[in-house]
Amino acid sequence: MKKRNFVIPIQLLVVFTLIFFISGYRFTALSAAKSNDFLSKDAKLIEQYDTDSSVIFLFKSDEAEMYQTVLSEKSGVLFRSSASTNIPYSSDKIQTVGGISITTGNDAATLLSVISYDEEVAYIEAGIEPIVERKEIQNGERISFLYPFSEQIDFLYPTAFNKDGKKLYYYGYPKDTTVSNSEDLKWHKIEGQ
């Protein structure tokens, strides 16, 4: 009789563990991110960003030719990944390679990650007053901005400058257009300044 009383709780524990596992819950933030349905199978982790109660991961997939940003949220002692964004590879001089804006029950954050292949670009500014950050950038280098609030990436008004403070590029939709699509949301060269 005592042996049977011991077996039933173990069976229930196994069943509950399987239900949580099938629902996407994992013991670590990284394993939750890797179980995200939209993450490419060949994705390689580039960087991890910790927020208050969540973790944002930046992956790169050569097979899918895209960068993938994945959110893992803490839920009790477990983690679950239910949000991701994809940014295709580009041949542009400045490329956004990671970006996500999230609001959860316990957290809010915005991530912007950029690579510059323009030797003239010396730094990039992004943010909303009073939190505007300036980060120096080298040719071929990736930099990231992480904010403790949720905001659409283009509303951070990312701008690339040369060493003399001249604006070279802005991130957003093309100016003076009334119709735009998702491919238009990128870095645009500022002409005539």
Side-chain angles (χ1 to χ4, degrees):
M1 186 75 169
K2 287 184 180 184
K3 186 176 182 182
R4 185 167 188 212
N5 288 341
F6 182 70
V7 171
I8 291 175
I10 290 177
Q11 291 173 337
L12 287 174
L13 180 64
V14 168
V15 168
F16 283 123
T17 303
L18 283 174
I19 290 170
F20 275 105
F21 189 78
I22 291 168
S23 300
Y25 290 92
R26 300 293 185 271
F27 291 108
T28 68
L30 182 57
S31 61
K34 286 183 175 180
S35 74
N36 186 294
D37 291 336
F38 298 101
L39 185 67
S40 299
K41 300 300 177 207
D42 73 315
K44 292 183 178 69
L45 179 64
I46 297 175
E47 196 153 348
Q48 169 181 328
Y49 309 89
D50 295 322
T51 67
D52 286 339
S53 63
S54 303
V55 183
I56 300 170
F57 296 94
L58 181 59
F59 291 93
K60 179 181 180 183
S61 169
D62 289 331
E63 188 176 296
E65 295 186 349
M66 70 176 58
Y67 293 91
Q68 299 176 290
T69 308
V70 180
L71 170 70
S72 287
E73 297 176 66
K74 189 162 184 124
S75 178
V77 296
L78 300 174
F79 289 87
R80 187 167 188 264
S81 177
S82 59
S84 65
T85 61
N86 298 323
I87 299 175
Y89 285 4
S90 165
S91 60
D92 295 342
K93 288 280 195 175
I94 299 184
Q95 305 167 20
T96 296
V97 296
I100 196 167
S101 179
I102 57 114
T103 302
T104 68
N106 304 317
D107 207 359
T110 303
L111 171 73
L112 170 66
S113 190
V114 179
I115 294 177
S116 173
Y117 294 105
D118 186 328
E119 292 182 10
E120 199 176 348
V121 173
Y123 64 92
I124 295 175
E125 285 185 357
I128 300 172
E129 292 292 344
I131 306 174
V132 176
E133 292 184 43
R134 174 189 288 191
K135 293 193 176 189
E136 291 185 6
I137 190 167
Q138 304 294 321
N139 187 33
E141 179 184 22
R142 184 179 54 78
I143 60 170
S144 297
F145 298 87
L146 181 63
Y147 298 97
F149 53 82
S150 179
E151 185 58 75
Q152 209 172 292
I153 303 295
D154 54 322
F155 289 174
L156 296 174
Y157 305 105
T159 308
F161 297 83
N162 70 9
K163 63 181 170 78
D164 298 322
K166 178 183 174 188
K167 292 181 182 181
L168 300 176
Y169 297 87
Y170 73 92
Y171 181 76
Y173 290 101
K175 304 277 189 218
D176 303 322
T177 59
T178 56
V179 178
S180 53
N181 58 45
S182 61
E183 290 85 33
D184 293 334
L185 182 62
K186 61 182 184 174
W187 289 88
H188 299 276
K189 189 152 183 69
I190 299 172
E191 303 295 340
Q193 285 205 7

